[in-house]
Amino acid sequence: YGIFADTPPLLFEASSLENAFQIGGYPWHYIITPNKKKHKGVFHICSLKDNALAKNGIQDMKCCSLEPDWIYFHPDMSGRIIHVGPNLIKVLKLKEVKNHADQMEIAEDFTIVANRENCVNNNVTVTASGRVVKKRFTLLDDDPEQETFKIVDYEDELDLLSTVAVTQIGADGRAHLDFHCNEHGILLKSIPLKESWDVTYSHEVYFDKDLVLHIEQKPNRRFSCYVYQMVCDTARDDDP
């Protein structure tokens, strides 16, 4: 037992506000939220080697929403980072700072933006009929009446990035599943889900090659499962 008599040396230590600690990228980096309440919702991307903050390594979407944004290393082993907010998905990459090979910076690879053309224009103070608007309430970034990203996933066999965006008007929620090119973020196909999507329920969406599964958990542990099969139809290429 003599080899365990001494305390092993501390190899790494980081203080984080929450228990979300992630390691990834090349060279190795980690993502934390600094251990201060004022930094809630702010992510720092630092080098695992020396704890140095990467250039542009502070990521803050400044979301005003009920659900927080989330960030993680891309599971495709590219070393990139995915940062998801209510209406914006940012795919980030690590690269060397010009003329400083030992320093890394965070650069934007591409973004995916929610379609919010139906948003209320807060700058309008007079309606079309001439009535003056005295006060207008600002909506949350993830207000159900605005298209909001709920799920982001990666399919390794097809090398596709998938997103589920939801808009809810009253009790009727509508969602669509979009497939994007994983390398450049280009939208390749959009599939509207025919069933209603209630944002108060828990949802999971999976896809594998030509199958899409939507699992909805309702109260009292009741589940509904919707299955779609994608077919290649050259006559109507836009339909699932």
Side-chain angles (χ1 to χ4, degrees), residues 172-184:
D172 188 26
R174 291 299 169 190
H176 58 89
L177 172 65
D178 292 350
F179 297 113
H180 296 264
C181 165
N182 182 50
E183 185 175 358
H184 303 293

Side-chain angles (χ1 to χ4, degrees), residues 2-23:
I3 59 174
F4 300 108
D6 297 330
T7 302
L10 179 65
L11 299 180
F12 175 82
E13 182 178 13
S15 180
S16 179
L17 181 64
E18 299 172 342
N19 60 357
F21 175 82
Q22 302 178 64
I23 297 178

Side-chain angles (χ1 to χ4, degrees), residues 109-120:
D109 199 11
F110 62 82
T111 61
I112 301 172
V113 183
N115 180 13
R116 292 192 168 183
E117 295 178 354
N118 60 339
C119 289
V120 175

